[in-house]
Amino acid sequence: MTLDAKEQRRILGKFATGVTVASTKVGDETWGMTANAVTSLSLDPPLVILCIQKEGQSRSKFEEGGCFALNILSEDQQEISDRFAFKGPKDFSDLETTTAVTGAPILNNALGWVDCKLKEILPGGDHDIFIGEIVAGEAGDNGLPLLYFGGRYARLPG
Ligand SMILES: Cc1cc2nc3c(=O)[nH]c(=O)nc-3n(C[C@H](O)[C@H](O)[C@H](O)COP(=O)(O)O)c2cc1C
């Protein structure tokens, strides 16, 4: 049985996720991309996965940057998720950010974040799998997560 892309999306859309903005830094330029194909991979060594579609500019930016941060968004940050989900340059200039070890932008009000050095890129069909080694991270106590479920944003009951 082969599944078409729409049906795969519909089925896997039942798997609720959080939403992150993955960020990187290439020279003086910062770059961000909304991503929910992320997961914690290993505790020892501390590794995470970020899957990036091959088409589009983000893939090469994250490879060139050699690092990435995952910013876990709160339910108040849907507007930030939307603006980093469009094609083309994505600007952090009017957002309050900081950096940790790698220089990838970290959003001040994120629920949590990890800063990673890019360790490996593995092939994954029309996406590539970016494995990052965590070099810094923090979790805040500031609220509830933004969720993605069934192709839409969702929220936990307050
Ligand atoms: C909720 C949500 C989750 C997304 N997750 C991913 C993801 O994990 N990987 C990915 O490559 N694109 C993901 N996207 C789409 C990218 O954010 C979008 O294609 C990218 O920003 C386009 O930029 P580019 O074409 O300039 O690279 C997601 C979009 C949304 C709205």
Side-chain angles (χ1 to χ4, degrees):
M1 171 185 148
T2 50
L3 221 58
D4 69 19
K6 211 172 137 199
E7 187 61 358
Q8 183 175 342
R9 274 214 188 96
R10 201 177 71 82
I11 296 168
L12 275 304
K14 302 293 180 190
F15 186 62
T17 67
V19 180
T20 72
V21 167
S23 64
T24 191
K25 187 164 194 281
V26 186
D28 288 339
E29 184 195 11
T30 55
W31 189 271
M33 183 193 86
T34 301
N36 66 347
V38 304
T39 194
S40 177
L41 173 66
S42 161
L43 296 177
D44 186 16
L47 303 176
V48 292
I49 285 177
L50 162 66
C51 300
I52 305 181
Q53 57 191 334
K54 285 183 177 168
E55 211 178 85
Q57 281 178 276
S58 295
R59 194 219 163 280
S60 58
K61 295 287 180 191
F62 279 84
E63 182 172 24
E64 253 183 272
C67 64
F68 62 87
L70 297 176
N71 294 278
I72 302 167
L73 300 186
S74 74
E75 63 178 3
D76 304 328
Q77 293 177 309
Q78 183 177 325
E79 185 269 327
I80 296 178
S81 173
D82 283 337
R83 69 192 254 185
F84 284 97
F86 284 102
K87 282 195 175 303
K90 293 155 199 90
D91 192 9
F92 283 90
S93 59
D94 65 330
L95 295 170
E96 285 181 27
T97 62
T98 178
T99 58
V101 175
T102 69
I106 292 160
L107 293 167
N108 280 10
N109 295 321
L111 271 191
W113 56 270
V114 286
D115 188 23
C116 306
K117 286 187 180 153
L118 178 59
K119 202 173 155 68
E120 210 176 338
I121 303 176
L122 303 175
D126 56 13
H127 282 57
D128 279 328
I129 302 162
F130 282 58
I131 297 180
E133 175 150 25
I134 302 171
V135 290
E138 222 170 86
D141 295 322
N142 48 340
L144 295 170
L146 181 63
L147 301 179
Y148 203 67
F149 175 65
R152 291 163 193 217
Y153 293 112
R155 283 168 175 75
L156 291 174

